[in-house]
Structures are given as C-alpha cells and as structure tokens.
Amino acid sequence: MSAFPSSFDKEGLLACARGELFGPGNAQLPAPPMLMMDRITEISGDGGAHGKGHVVAEFDIHPDLWFFECHFPGNPIMPGCLGLDGLWQLTGFNLGWRGWQGRGYALGVGEVKLTGMVRPDRKMLTYKIDFTKAIQTRRLTMGVADGIVEADGDVIYQVKDMKVALSEA
C-alpha cells in the first residue's frame, strides 16, 4: 500500500524530523528532545482493530531523560501530555506514510484517561494506535484514532477519538 517501509529505526525517525522522509512541506516529526519515540515497529494503512490502519512504536525510558529533572524535582514523573503528544506524533506520521500531502497538526482528542505514571524506573513505553477513520478528500485530510500507551506492559494512558489533520497551507 505504501512506498515506505513498515517499520522505522531511530535514524529513520530523525530523517522524518529533518523533513527528508516525506518531502518538503509534508508530515514531519519533531526533533529530540520532543521526539517521543525511538522506533516504529509496525505501521499500516489497513490493519488494526478497525481495518483502517495502525501504528505500534516504542520509547526507551532512562533516568536521564530531560523531563525527569524538571517535572517534578524530587518526584520525577514524565508529564502525561508528552505521552499524548507521542500518540499525536504517530497519528500524523501514519498519514504521511500513506503518501498523503501536507503538514500535520493535532485537532483534538475526545477522551483521555491517565491511569498510571512514567517514573525513571520504567524501561519502555509502547504506543498502540488504531485508526477509526482515515479521510482524504479534496478539502480535508484527517485521521481519527484511538490509542493506548503501555509502560512495561501496563496500560497507563488511553485516548479515544484523537484527531490529526494534514494541511498544505
């Protein structure tokens, strides 16, 4: 379906952050330290629970990550909004991976549940995103997806109706 691979290592993600993967003016990941994953292990345009596409990615957790020092001193916790941003990053990445044109931006999320925390003793986050809609029309390019974040296999964040669009403007 896509001209791109079905998995990406860190260098592939960094190429996307530099704007080299999908081309100028198209979907682009943020550069470190805002890049919230180390690899994409699976990506599709027709897989997942709804057959509309999916992404599975991983983020290695280590005690010297930038946010642990400042959030909160003496009680280090990864901000939950960074986990949500990682889900949005991957949702937009999937739209670019499909070959769809435009720069990605988050539109919103219907529901967010934070049921656990990421502390420095965790080893790995796993992001799992399942698209419920992937729309490309003359006027609109958008993905709608549900997602979870697992920390060492425990579900800690859940989102419903996460929306990301691509715009050529």
Side-chain angles (χ1 to χ4, degrees), residues 8-154:
F8 293 84
D9 61 11
K10 185 71 172 251
E11 185 49 45
L13 300 178
L14 293 173
C16 184
R18 293 187 300 265
E20 300 167 0
L21 186 61
F22 303 130
N26 291 314
Q28 189 173 347
L29 289 168
M34 284 303 298
L35 179 63
M36 296 308 298
M37 76 276 320
D38 290 307
R39 66 199 138 289
I40 293 174
T41 59
E42 298 175 30
I43 188 168
S44 76
D46 58 3
H50 307 284
K52 307 276 184 174
H54 83 293
V55 184
V56 178
E58 298 171 341
F59 184 43
D60 298 325
I61 301 298
H62 43 89
D64 63 345
L65 285 168
W66 65 274
F67 44 79
F68 286 134
E69 186 176 324
C70 58
H71 189 270
F72 298 96
N75 184 25
I77 300 167
M78 176 180 150
C81 60
L82 293 180
L84 177 58
D85 197 65
L87 290 167
W88 271 323
Q89 290 174 22
L90 291 161
T91 301
F93 184 93
N94 182 284
L95 299 178
W97 178 86
R98 292 169 190 251
W100 295 358
Q101 303 293 300
R103 294 186 185 274
Y105 58 96
L107 293 176
V109 62
E111 181 180 322
V112 178
K113 288 185 185 177
L114 306 177
T115 57
M117 292 182 274
V118 180
R119 295 191 177 277
D121 61 343
R122 295 289 195 163
K123 302 298 178 213
M124 186 172 66
L125 297 186
T126 304
Y127 298 95
K128 296 180 179 177
I129 296 153
D130 286 307
F131 281 76
T132 57
K133 293 179 188 167
I135 303 161
Q136 186 182 40
T137 68
R138 189 171 47 87
R139 297 179 46 198
L140 177 67
T141 300
M142 181 175 76
V144 181
D146 299 334
I148 63 170
V149 178
E150 298 174 349
D152 299 336
D154 300 325

Side-chain angles (χ1 to χ4, degrees), residues 148-165:
I148 63 170
V149 178
E150 298 174 349
D152 299 336
D154 300 325
V155 175
I156 60 165
Y157 307 154
Q158 299 172 66
V159 301
K160 298 275 185 203
D161 296 323
M162 176 174 46
K163 296 174 183 72
V164 173

